[in-house]
Amino acid sequence: MKFNLIERQNWDRNPYFEHYLSQKCTFNITVNIDITKLLEQLRNKEIKLYPAFIYMISQVVNSHEEFRTCFNVEGVLGYWDKILPKYTIFHSDNKSFSCIWTEFSNEFSVFYKNYNDDIKRYYDVKGLFTKPNEPNNSFSISSVPWVSFTGFSLNINDGSDFLLPIITCGKYFTQENKILLPVSLQMHHAVCDGYHASIFIEGIQQLANNCHDWLS
């Protein structure tokens, strides 16, 4: 997958980038996504929420260059043409988790097959990173399905140059006849502002609202 270098001297965002990178400034925002329609569609098709959530997040992330901007292994700034989701899976027997990755496709049916193949192969494999050959162009998704939260912050020690978004979902709940899913988004201010966070959130909500288009 191609990594496109950013010429910082010609980059409009460079003053913001340098300021917020030096300040090691990240931010978190947590919102409730209305998944009422989505959950109904998923139940009708006997599809679990988690793979659909991973698909939706990956769609939005891959739709905007800002969400794919990072340093490569050589420490050079740029952005990937495409990035893949790596996500946590829970082992109920010993209450541990593992992190695996799955090849992404814009077609949900293709991604869902890739997801199920990976789950079948690695679900019972214990360890932190159990699927080998994790690609450099991957980003992090996790779930805390036991609790609904109004805020979530993931602190990365010495992670001031980690620029990719980190997304965490919680336990969905019912409020005013709607089923709501708390979604926490962590971003680095060097590459994303509040505007970009709003684009991310709106993109997720639109995919939930229009789930029939990509689930059919």
Side-chain angles (χ1 to χ4, degrees), residues 24-152:
K24 303 179 180 180
C25 181
T26 63
F27 67 93
N28 299 73
I29 184 170
T30 300
V31 297
N32 292 325
I33 300 297
D34 184 352
I35 60 167
T36 310
K37 183 177 180 181
L38 172 64
L39 206 58
E40 179 183 6
Q41 291 283 326
L42 293 174
R43 287 170 174 168
N44 289 339
K45 296 178 179 294
E46 298 183 339
I47 297 173
K48 292 183 177 181
L49 175 61
Y50 195 35
F53 175 74
I54 295 171
Y55 171 82
M56 292 160 59
I57 296 297
S58 301
Q59 273 280 27
V60 174
V61 166
N62 278 295
S63 297
H64 299 278
E65 180 182 308
E66 293 85 358
F67 305 149
R68 293 177 275 115
T69 300
C70 62
F71 292 107
N72 65 9
V73 293
E74 287 81 30
V76 179
L77 184 68
Y79 61 92
W80 294 102
D81 280 346
K82 174 184 176 181
I83 57 178
L84 312 177
K86 59 180 177 181
Y87 51 93
T88 55
I89 55 176
F90 184 68
H91 304 296
S92 58
D93 53 351
N94 68 352
K95 308 301 186 288
S96 68
F97 72 92
S98 298
C99 184
I100 65 174
W101 59 277
T102 290
E103 185 68 39
F104 182 67
S105 171
N106 287 323
E107 294 186 36
F108 177 73
S109 59
V110 175
F111 170 75
Y112 190 50
K113 181 183 184 304
N114 294 340
Y115 170 89
N116 282 327
D117 288 345
D118 284 332
I119 290 296
K120 183 178 181 180
R121 182 170 182 179
Y122 296 103
Y123 189 78
D124 292 323
V125 181
K126 303 298 194 300
L128 183 53
F129 301 104
T130 50
K131 183 179 178 180
N133 304 317
E134 178 186 319
N136 292 326
N137 59 321
S138 60
F139 73 103
S140 299
I141 298 174
S142 62
S143 174
V144 187
W146 309 278
V147 62
S148 298
F149 50 73
T150 56
F152 184 93

